[in-house]
Amino acid sequence: MTFSFITLFPALIEGYFQDSILKVAREKGLITTHTIQLREFALDSYKSVDAPQIGGGAGQVLLPNVLEKAIKHATSQHTQEAESKNPHIIFLTPCAKHFTQSDAVRLTTKEHIIFVCGRYEGIDERVIEAWADEVFCIGDFILTGGELAALCLCDSIARQIPQVLGNANSLQGESFEDSLLEAPVFARTNEKFEDFTPISEYSKGNHNKIALLKNHLALCKTRYFRPDLFERWKTTQRVRNEK
């Protein structure tokens, strides 16, 4: 799977793939990454990539023609590398729907994803309308640029790809699966920590009881920390029971 990032700051992207799981995944050829410097597609000798807003207001807006050139380059680059479907183009913007775990799973079916990372006051709306296959937001807060958001999406999608994680079972029972948070986990160690003792049932080897306990604790944790998810879980259960 190929991930391309259109950005003014490639170093912010490239550093993320220098360590840990995604570094190994790239070395194994499970994922390929490209960073595309937006400024290389500027239309003037000053390498301008932004302009003031129409109608006034603070902050500069990324130029649509410059972005379009970069997107076309990213698209043609992939076409030359392999005969496949068109890349899936994602823009990171605060006005979009929240990215979810189900989105991460679904997007692993794409062969090539292009992330367009905004900066300054944002991206000219015309280029979003013309080129976006999807738009996403990672939360109700503002960042200085789209690079961190793009990396969040890339990480979440990439770990769903077979063989990226060392143990495929790590994908089972994770938070947000079936609208629940994951049950509490504890490290296996003989060292005591403060006055807290891990749940003894975890150590008794009865996997059926452990599974039931973890499911109960997942329900409790979800109800306490994410009542919105808990209500969604209850609705799902009610629909299943009605069937």
Side-chain angles (χ1 to χ4, degrees):
M1 190 170 183
T2 300
F3 298 97
S4 296
F5 301 83
I6 297 175
T7 172
L8 281 168
F9 302 99
L12 295 180
I13 300 294
E14 291 163 359
Y16 193 74
F17 298 94
Q18 300 303 313
D19 292 288
S20 193
I21 290 171
L22 294 190
K23 175 188 178 183
V24 175
R26 193 163 67 166
E27 290 173 346
K28 289 182 176 179
L30 299 173
I31 64 171
T32 301
T33 62
H34 299 293
T35 53
I36 297 159
Q37 169 57 266
L38 179 60
R39 204 171 293 280
E40 292 180 1
F41 301 90
L43 304 175
D44 61 19
S45 58
Y46 296 102
K47 297 294 182 181
S48 303
V49 296
D50 57 285
Q53 300 181 57
I54 296 174
Q60 300 284 100
V61 178
L62 293 179
L63 293 166
N65 292 340
V66 176
L67 273 169
E68 183 172 66
K69 283 184 65 179
I71 292 169
K72 286 182 176 179
H73 170 78
T75 303
S76 63
Q77 183 182 46
H78 180 67
T79 303
Q80 292 170 5
E81 291 178 355
E83 293 182 5
S84 59
K85 297 178 181 178
N86 291 331
H88 195 71
I89 302 172
I90 294 176
F91 285 73
L92 290 310
T93 169
C95 69
K97 74 177 282 289
H98 285 190
F99 182 78
T100 66
Q101 182 72 0
S102 61
D103 291 317
V105 174
R106 172 177 58 83
L107 287 169
T108 57
T109 62
K110 307 299 180 183
E111 295 180 3
H112 182 197
I113 293 177
I114 298 173
F115 295 110
V116 182
C117 305
R119 276 278 158 176
Y120 312 129
E121 189 59 26
I123 297 169
D124 189 299
E125 193 70 23
R126 291 170 290 181
V127 75
I128 298 176
E129 292 291 335
W131 286 96
D133 290 308
E134 288 190 81
V135 289
F136 284 113
C137 169
I138 62 168
D140 295 342
F141 53 90
I142 305 300
L143 298 170
T144 56
E147 287 80 10
L148 281 174
L151 286 170
C152 285
L153 267 65
C154 178
D155 188 300
S156 185
I157 296 166
R159 67 191 300 279
Q160 300 293 327
I161 298 171
Q163 300 179 52
V164 167
L165 296 185
N167 185 346
N169 291 330
S170 297
L171 294 172
Q172 306 302 316
E174 291 193 304
S175 289
F176 309 114
E177 187 176 301
D178 292 329
S179 299
L180 292 176
L181 299 179
E182 189 173 359
V185 294
F186 306 92
R188 183 179 293 146
T189 174
N190 293 323
E191 299 294 329
K192 292 184 178 180
F193 178 75
E194 302 290 342
D195 294 325
F196 298 102
T197 303
I199 300 169
S200 61
E201 199 67 48
Y202 276 21
S203 304
K204 293 181 179 179
N206 188 323
H207 296 291
N208 288 332
K209 284 188 176 181
I210 292 172
L212 288 171
L213 177 60
K214 283 192 171 184
N215 184 67
H216 174 69
L217 292 173
L219 285 169
C220 293
K221 195 173 184 180
T222 306
R223 187 174 187 175
Y224 183 83
F225 287 104
R226 290 291 302 274
D228 57 319
L229 278 180
F230 185 73
E231 290 302 316
R232 190 185 307 169
W233 174 84
K234 288 200 303 183
T235 300
T236 302
Q237 295 304 303
R238 184 165 59 249
V239 171
R240 288 176 179 173
N241 291 334
E242 289 173 356
K243 290 180 179 180

